[in-house]
Amino acid sequence: MSRFVDKISFFDRRASPMEDADGIPRSGLLVHHPRSPAASPPAPPRTQGISSSTLAQLFKRVSDTHSDSSSPPSSPSTSTFTLELATPMLQPFVGSANQIPFVLSFTDLTYKVKVKRPKKGSCFPSFKRNPTDGAITEFSSSKTLLDSISGEAREGEILAVLGASGSGKSTLIDALANRIVRERLHGSVTLNGEHLDSQILKVISAYVMQDDLLYPMLTVEETLMFSAEFRLPRTLSADKKKARVQALIDQLGLRSAANTIIGDEGHRGVSGGERRRVSIGTDIIHDPIILFLDEPTSGLDSTSAYMVVKVLQRIAHSGSIVIMSVHQPSYRILSLLDRLLFLSRGKTVFYGPPSSLPIFFTEFGSPMPDNENPTEFALDLIRELEDTPAGARELVEFNKSWQKRTITYKPTIAYGEKQPLSLKEAIAASISRGKLVSGATDVSTGSASSVQKFANPWWIEMGVLTKRSFTNTKRQPELFIIRLGAVLVTGFILATIFWRLDNSPKGVQERLGFFAIAMSTMFYTCADALPIFLQERYIFMRETAYNAYRRSSYVISNAIVGFPPLVFLSFAFALTTFFAVGLAGGVSGFMFFVAIVLASFWAGSGFVTFLSGVVTHVMLGYPVVVSTLAYFLLFSGFFITRDRIPKYWLWFHYLSLVKYPYEAVMQNEFSDPNKCFVRGVQMFDNTPLGALPEVLKLKVLKAIGSSIGVNLNADTCITTGTDFIQQQAVTDLTKWDCLWITIAWGFLFRILFYICLLLGSKNKRR
């Protein structure tokens, strides 16, 4: 194979970090550009304490090179941004050149979880009684996922965590990234010897998850551009943000897919490897100081995986700490890694530079064959030991003794004789070099309160979120068309069933049926909002975990994006039913009907949105929505009036969402005191006297009138609209009160949704 040419040892031919990044075009393939010996001096050796260009400065060169180029590209389709990587080192950061700005140390990290043990043959947990106090507790055992893990990661280096599946790689990354509840995690994590505040960590770091969590209908370029809008401050011009995005697209090898949508199961989009690179790009756009990655090369071919790690190496050299988990790196990827940490069932079996692997295993008694991938050999040996009764215990103990004899790096001790910079000084030095573009940090006090949590104000976040949601939604018109079709079909059925109702007692009862079905339909058709947040939940958690935007901005944006379709649906339903049924009120009555239908949609969508923040799966949400809305209809006052509801259930009557729009449309229809709905002998309808001949009915009517001293005839108005409202016990609120209360319900549910996001999106293991 080409990588074993002349059998030169991999450890003896590692190139300079900047020298082996000569050229990566937009395709992502490594290409060698021949140089003239006289024109290009040899690359300088790696010097600790001297930082290369930050990613922000490299991106700036991209835009400068692109804008100042005197020769136009051969064609628009082949134009690309040029990134010159083999550049001389820039001036050192603030402080001594022999000091290491950032050292992330972790000592004796231990993490255990409780495992519930049900009784054998039963799906229910078993319990035990404490012999001391007699207390009954659930029987469970603990499982150790991390067992006294120690090490450190330095600026300018990549620390790779390796091990088989289930070894604890992802758990360690989560522990370092503060994604485990501190009460359950033992040990210490420090940055430059100082305990790292969680708020500061969110600002100076980024976390790339193993799963690709992206909006399916956005293109690659749009996805990265929206990430730049979130992560980069508004002080950075739109042109510079676009230049950073374009440069990142080229360096991730996504130029050919820049205008392709991400895609999902129903829409064809980018490939799996391209999707993975987009996920990484969304989290490195703001040039973080600490970058955590959970298996960033998963699902990529060897060239793409090498390309990704090459980008990570540049990020490290720009003044970042890069910590990543990787399952089994190739020989070329291994050449880019600076430190390795091998895990076996939560325990450390090796920690050190890759060049120490052959010596380590030789002293252990398992010499490494020539020309074999060191990581493959190590992982195979670890798997063999894990299959033995003693497991990898012997290798764990040997690593402890070997570390004591050979370790050259000690926590918080920098190269040379000087201590590293303090955290405050290190952050200040990084910002002075252009790092932490989104950090907007004042380090004069060096405390968490001096760090701005978010890159942009809330109205900027809200605008970007709204634009992104509109873009993603408008490319799925079938969702709105289906919802509109459901409303129109429902309206058509109701209009044809209740066509031109008269003002008879039967017409009154039929109006009540129409109002009850129509208002409850508004809430049931809002159930389609349930999957929206459930689909976006993990995207939301990933983005808010590191302060891309505020939760309040997301809630407001969610309401803004969902409101225009509700207006359209309200007019569509009102136009379909109001005039066909023959409801009263004229233009003003029609406009109020539209308003109450819109308010019902608003309250219903708010209720469903709130539930989507409570439940975790759509199959759990739909039964809750349907059953709750059925209870609301039951207590709305249609089946049983307010004055007939038992007192112990009266509270639910006032909690019913259907009550208020139902009473509002009733008052809108029957509020005219001059409109009569029962005249003369119509009072006998729906009674045994209704079967009598008309002549007898008139005689009975006159007899009743004479007995009470009132002249009653066939044209006498017996019941007006106001009388009917009183009969239905709809007297405690006006129609405008009902309208405002319905609107208030919509706001209340969105506030509850916001509280759910605050309490339920901590994104931490327990």
Side-chain angles (χ1 to χ4, degrees), residues 207-526:
Y207 186 99
V208 180
M209 295 183 177
Q210 186 173 353
D211 298 324
D212 300 322
L213 304 173
L214 303 167
Y215 282 88
M217 302 310 295
L218 299 181
T219 66
V220 170
E221 183 175 352
E222 288 171 341
T223 300
L224 296 176
M225 194 64 208
F226 282 123
S227 179
E229 294 287 350
F230 289 130
R231 301 280 188 173
L232 306 182
R234 59 174 176 164
T235 54
L236 202 65
S237 67
D239 291 338
K240 290 183 178 179
K241 290 179 182 179
K242 188 173 183 179
R244 291 171 68 85
V245 169
Q246 296 300 327
L248 189 59
I249 288 174
D250 289 328
Q251 296 315 305
L252 292 174
L254 295 169
R255 175 56 56 190
S256 60
N259 296 318
T260 305
I261 63 171
I262 300 299
D264 56 12
E265 296 82 357
H267 304 84
R268 182 172 182 142
V270 297
S271 66
E274 291 169 334
R275 186 195 301 263
R276 186 66 180 141
R277 281 175 275 168
V278 174
S279 295
I280 295 173
T282 58
D283 286 299
I284 66 174
I285 188 68
H286 65 302
D287 199 6
I289 292 176
I290 306 175
L291 180 60
F292 303 101
L293 304 102
D294 189 8
E295 299 199 19
T297 59
S298 295
L300 303 183
D301 57 76
S302 60
T303 301
S304 299
Y306 177 79
M307 164 69 179
V308 168
V309 180
K310 196 70 174 177
V311 172
L312 299 179
Q313 186 190 54
R314 288 188 216 111
I315 295 174
H317 292 168
S318 72
S320 297
I321 298 173
V322 178
I323 304 175
M324 59 181 283
S325 62
V326 59
H327 187 68
Q328 191 165 331
S330 66
Y331 205 91
R332 290 196 301 165
I333 291 179
L334 184 61
S335 68
L336 306 178
L337 306 179
D338 299 283
R339 288 176 182 270
L340 305 179
L341 177 61
F342 282 85
L343 297 178
S344 173
R345 295 176 181 174
K347 298 181 179 180
T348 304
V349 294
F350 174 80
Y351 170 67
S355 57
S356 300
L357 276 173
I359 303 174
F360 176 83
F361 285 104
T362 298
E363 294 185 10
F364 178 68
S366 300
M368 187 179 300
D370 295 337
N371 298 333
E372 182 167 349
N373 188 323
T375 57
E376 291 182 2
F377 174 83
L379 292 172
D380 289 342
L381 179 61
I382 293 171
R383 289 192 189 97
E384 292 177 5
L385 293 175
E386 288 178 344
D387 292 336
T388 62
R393 185 183 309 166
E394 183 180 357
L395 187 58
V396 172
E397 296 301 325
F398 175 77
N399 174 67
K400 293 179 180 178
S401 62
W402 189 81
Q403 293 288 338
K404 293 178 181 178
R405 289 186 287 108
T406 62
I407 190 168
T408 58
Y409 299 105
K410 296 182 180 180
T412 71
I413 302 297
Y415 293 88
E417 299 179 353
K418 298 185 178 182
Q419 295 289 332
L421 296 173
S422 68
L423 182 58
K424 178 180 68 174
E425 295 169 332
I427 294 178
S430 266
I431 295 174
S432 69
R433 290 181 287 131
K435 289 288 292 181
L436 200 61
V437 181
S438 67
T441 311
D442 176 14
V443 294
S444 59
T445 63
S447 64
S449 60
S450 64
V451 179
Q452 293 186 7
K453 296 171 62 175
F454 302 96
N456 295 286
W458 66 271
W459 61 86
I460 298 294
E461 298 171 351
M462 186 185 66
V464 177
L465 283 166
T466 302
K467 182 180 178 181
R468 183 176 69 174
S469 295
F470 267 128
T471 304
N472 188 67
T473 303
K474 73 180 182 180
R475 291 175 183 167
Q476 303 179 79
E478 63 275 9
L479 300 180
F480 176 74
I481 292 174
I482 292 175
R483 189 176 183 184
L484 176 61
V487 170
L488 290 177
V489 169
T490 303
F492 174 77
I493 293 175
L494 292 177
T496 52
I497 290 178
F498 299 99
W499 179 263
R500 295 295 180 181
L501 297 179
D502 55 24
N503 293 332
S504 65
K506 289 185 178 180
V508 171
Q509 295 299 322
E510 289 166 353
R511 279 179 173 82
L512 294 183
F514 168 76
F515 291 148
I517 297 300
M519 295 302 104
S520 60
T521 298
M522 301 304 101
F523 292 94
Y524 279 110
T525 54
C526 291

Side-chain angles (χ1 to χ4, degrees), residues 670 672-678 717-727:
F670 300 116
D672 187 358
N674 298 320
K675 190 172 183 178
C676 187
F677 291 92
V678 179
C717 182
I718 305 299
T719 305
T720 64
T722 305
D723 297 330
F724 185 76
I725 289 177
Q726 292 177 349
Q727 293 175 10

Side-chain angles (χ1 to χ4, degrees), residues 151-169:
E152 68 179 24
R154 296 174 174 269
E155 177 182 318
E157 297 182 350
I158 298 179
L159 170 63
V161 183
L162 297 93
S165 298
S167 61
K169 302 188 300 296

Side-chain angles (χ1 to χ4, degrees), residues 592 596 659-669 730 734-736 738-739 742:
F592 183 85
I596 196 62
K659 160 188 165 61
Y660 301 99
Y662 173 68
E663 292 187 358
V665 292
M666 281 183 61
Q667 296 191 55
N668 189 53
E669 180 69 15
V730 183
T734 67
K735 69 177 185 179
W736 294 104
C738 294
L739 175 64
T742 305

Side-chain angles (χ1 to χ4, degrees), residues 10-25:
F10 141 73
F11 300 108
D12 295 333
R13 60 186 182 89
R14 291 183 69 186
S16 166
M18 305 306 290
E19 183 182 33
D20 58 13
D22 291 340
I24 297 182

